[in-house]
Amino acid sequence: MRLSILSPALAVAFATYVAAQDASDVLTLTASDFSAKVDNEPLILVEFFAPWCGHCKALAPHYEEAATALKEKDIKIAKVDCVDQADLCQANGIQGYPTLRVYKNGTPSDYQGPRKADGIISYMVKQSLPAVTELTLSNIDEFKKADKFVAVAYVSSATDAPAPAFSQLAEAHRDDFLFGLSTDQDVITAEGVTPPAVIVYRSFDEPRVTYPYPIVDAQVQDFEEWMGDLSIPVIDEVSSDNYAIYASSSKPLAYLFLDPTAANKEEIIASVRPVAEEFKSKVNFVWIDAIKFGDHAKALNLQEPKWPSFVIQDLEKQLKYPLDQSKDVSSESVKDWTKQYVSGELKPELKSQPVPESQDESVYNLVGKEFEDVVFDDSKDVFVEFYASWCGHCKRLKPTWDLLADKYINVKDKLVVAKMEATENDLPPSVPFRVAGFPTLKFKPAGSRDFLDYEGDRSFESLVAFVEEHAKNSLEPSVVLEGQAQTHFSAGNASAEKHDEL
């Protein structure tokens, strides 16, 4: 066998490469050292991952960057390979990847923060601090810049109002914001504050905002509403990392879809900013990567891949108001469209598949255009499955749902068993719910506008029992159509036996 000897240069390069692989600031944990390294640590973040997991791979560079930054603050970050350490992960109840947990002296809690480096750093810094940090001249300047959003109460005494309410606020939102309190007269003088006062320091928009309402009687809810509004920038990029902030807001969301590589991207954002500022009390504004989130644009009824485009969405009712894509997106057009929306002059654009020319199946194929006509027919009980074509659970339900419709085919003048592709058809504003998952099963009794949720198992027998319990109409057929045999689903029925596997 021939041996090769590395040249000095190659040897150095190889050694450097090996060192780089071992230079990670993320600790690797195994069953043999997990308890020793976690149980005695005041704070540590642990990722349970699988090497083949795409989400884990996407997280990895951000996790490394966060580990390096947090190392300077003596906050440790670790990982467990659940392929190599399967028993350890099973013992910790890990069911998906990546799973991130925060441990404080061995006691775990779910990580609830973003999965980008700056978000991980911010979240873990908050976890390392008390709910309210006492501030003096030695730490006030650093603390004000420690996160994108920092709230500080200045009071003469820690027992003075609004300190108790502020402390309750901090306990409830310690994962969301940094909270500080100072009774130090030197700090109060240096900040030019007259106590009592609460000031928010931000790294975006107006950098310093003072609570503008009577403060002595301010309650937790008052601070929550004020800070919740301030925590949302006038206009910012939205992604999976911060969408929850907007989703939890009571305001509608205005999307500016942009090609992030466009030379005039910043110019377009700047032109819309004054509009966002004008309507901030009514509407939240964001810009979004139209290339990466093109499917989301289609879901908001922007049918053409033409950028920039603009659309307002009522998040609560899931109604969409897209600006005509044949029009230019400008400060003037966005302002006019938003003004019409706020004043209630716009009608939502409802997406719908074409009305079927014929209904050839036992299950009624329902589309958005005829939803109200079919479902709000007071003479009929209606049972609807809202599904998505790509949904595996929906595909598994289909033969059972077909069988349910077959059972009641002779009373379809009294009971409609229907299905609607919810990603291709919007619900009208008159419907008091929105579909959040698939499949969703809703029953509307005859003579009512109320919808009952079906939450049982998806067996044929359970679905039948639910229909029999809630239907207002008699389910006995009044007329058997000529040439159509009436089917009875009894235990000995041959048709039912064909479906025993369901």
Side-chain angles (χ1 to χ4, degrees):
M1 182 174 65
R2 182 178 180 183
L3 297 176
S4 297
I5 300 176
L6 290 175
S7 69
L10 285 175
V12 170
F14 181 75
T16 301
Y17 171 81
V18 172
Q21 301 308 299
D22 296 333
S24 172
D25 290 316
V26 178
L27 304 177
T28 298
L29 303 179
T30 65
S32 63
D33 63 5
F34 185 88
S35 294
K37 291 185 177 179
V38 171
D39 292 352
N40 297 319
E41 198 65 44
L43 178 67
I44 185 171
L45 176 63
V46 180
E47 176 202 8
F48 297 87
F49 76 101
W52 46 260
C53 163
H55 293 297
C56 304
K57 293 175 182 177
L59 174 63
H62 298 281
Y63 206 63
E64 288 283 353
E65 184 180 341
T68 300
L70 290 170
K71 184 179 181 181
E72 299 176 0
K73 302 179 183 296
D74 200 27
I75 300 174
K76 294 178 180 177
I77 283 189
K79 63 183 178 181
V80 176
D81 183 339
C82 287
V83 173
D84 186 53
Q85 302 292 319
D87 291 343
L88 174 61
C89 293
Q90 185 176 0
N92 280 274
I94 304 304
Q95 297 181 335
Y97 310 116
T99 294
L100 285 84
R101 287 181 179 169
V102 176
Y103 289 82
K104 293 183 177 180
N105 296 310
T107 301
S109 62
D110 291 334
Y111 173 83
Q112 302 285 357
R115 297 195 177 186
K116 295 290 179 66
D118 57 350
I120 297 170
I121 295 166
S122 173
Y123 186 90
M124 293 305 293
V125 167
K126 294 185 185 83
Q127 295 293 315
S128 70
L129 298 172
V132 180
T133 299
E134 184 177 348
L135 301 176
T136 65
L137 279 176
S138 64
N139 64 352
I140 179 67
D141 288 337
E142 180 182 0
F143 187 81
K144 290 190 300 182
K145 300 175 184 177
D147 201 16
K148 293 180 179 179
F149 191 100
V150 177
V152 178
Y154 297 94
V155 289
S156 299
S157 165
T159 59
D160 289 352
F166 188 79
S167 295
Q168 292 177 40
L169 175 76
E171 287 291 347
H173 294 277
R174 62 180 302 153
D175 291 349
D176 305 317
F177 310 117
L178 283 183
F179 296 87
L181 183 144
S182 183
T183 59
D184 189 322
Q185 187 58 50
D186 292 336
V187 171
I188 292 171
T189 301
E191 290 296 313
V193 176
T194 300
V198 172
I199 297 178
V200 162
Y201 300 92
R202 303 185 294 181
S203 63
F204 56 88
D205 298 343
E206 189 178 349
R208 171 174 165 152
V209 185
T210 302
Y211 186 74
Y213 311 110
I215 196 167
V216 174
D217 298 323
Q219 302 299 309
V220 171
Q221 183 178 352
D222 299 321
F223 287 128
E224 284 177 334
E225 292 176 356
W226 177 65
M227 291 175 59
D229 189 56
L230 286 177
S231 67
I232 298 177
V234 170
I235 184 168
D236 193 17
E237 181 181 8
V238 68
S239 68
S240 56
D241 285 328
N242 62 351
Y243 177 77
I245 297 173
Y246 298 97
S248 62
S249 171
S250 60
K251 298 177 185 177
L253 188 58
Y255 292 88
L256 178 62
F257 279 84
L258 295 170
D259 180 344
T261 65
N264 63 341
K265 183 194 79 173
E266 295 300 329
E267 179 183 337
I268 296 172
I269 295 172
S271 71
V272 171
R273 173 174 281 274
V275 183
E277 289 175 339
E278 180 178 347
F279 291 98
K280 190 176 190 308
S281 63
K282 302 291 185 181
V283 180
N284 289 324
F285 277 70
V286 296
W287 74 268
I288 184 170
D289 184 335
I291 308 304
K292 184 176 182 181
F293 295 104
D295 287 343
H296 190 53
K298 290 182 180 179
L300 294 174
N301 296 349
L302 293 171
Q303 300 304 326
E304 299 296 327
K306 178 188 175 184
W307 322 120
S309 288
F310 183 73
V311 56
I312 300 173
Q313 182 184 23
D314 182 330
L315 293 174
E316 184 178 340
K317 296 180 180 179
Q318 290 296 302
L319 300 175
K320 302 116 180 185
Y321 302 80
L323 177 64
D324 188 338
Q325 287 188 283
S326 66
K327 297 181 179 179
D328 290 336
V329 173
S330 64
S331 178
E332 292 76 18
S333 63
V334 169
K335 180 176 180 178
D336 180 63
W337 195 250
T338 306
K339 184 177 180 179
Q340 289 185 64
Y341 172 81
V342 170
S343 61
E345 298 175 23
L346 297 182
K347 291 184 178 180
E349 182 175 304
L350 301 178
K351 179 166 59 176
S352 177
Q353 293 173 308
V355 175
E357 293 182 2
S358 62
Q359 297 286 347
D360 301 324
E361 300 178 5
S362 300
V363 177
Y364 191 95
N365 187 18
L366 183 64
V367 298
K369 288 180 180 178
E370 58 174 359
F371 187 92
E372 291 175 313
D373 292 339
V374 173
V375 178
F376 289 149
D377 182 342
D378 287 338
S379 69
K380 297 177 181 178
D381 295 290
V382 183
F383 202 6
V384 184
E385 175 204 2
F386 298 93
Y387 73 98
S389 299
W390 46 259
C391 164
H393 295 296
C394 304
K395 292 175 182 178
R396 286 190 286 275
L397 176 62
K398 184 183 185 306
T400 308
W401 199 249
D402 291 344
L403 184 61
L404 182 71
D406 289 343
K407 174 175 172 61
Y408 295 111
I409 188 65
N410 291 331
V411 291
K412 63 181 181 180
D413 58 327
K414 301 176 183 179
L415 169 67
V416 177
V417 179
K419 63 182 179 181
M420 189 170 97
E421 219 294 5
T423 67
E424 296 294 334
N425 298 276
D426 289 333
L427 292 172
S430 58
V431 177
F433 65 88
R434 288 296 172 262
V435 176
F438 305 109
T440 292
L441 307 180
K442 296 276 188 177
F443 188 91
K444 197 236 28 128
S448 171
R449 292 296 174 98
D450 295 329
F451 288 82
L452 306 177
D453 292 323
Y454 179 80
E455 296 177 338
D457 67 67
R458 294 171 187 159
S459 68
F460 174 73
E461 294 78 11
S462 296
L463 290 166
V464 169
F466 182 84
V467 170
E468 302 281 346
E469 178 183 355
H470 295 290
K472 297 298 183 183
N473 290 324
S474 168
L475 298 181
E476 290 297 323
S478 53
V479 177
V480 177
L481 300 180
E482 184 178 350
Q484 185 178 56
Q486 187 171 348
T487 306
H488 298 281
F489 285 79
S490 63
N493 184 271
S495 296
E497 288 174 4
K498 289 199 300 181
H499 297 276
D500 282 348
E501 74 276 7
L502 298 175

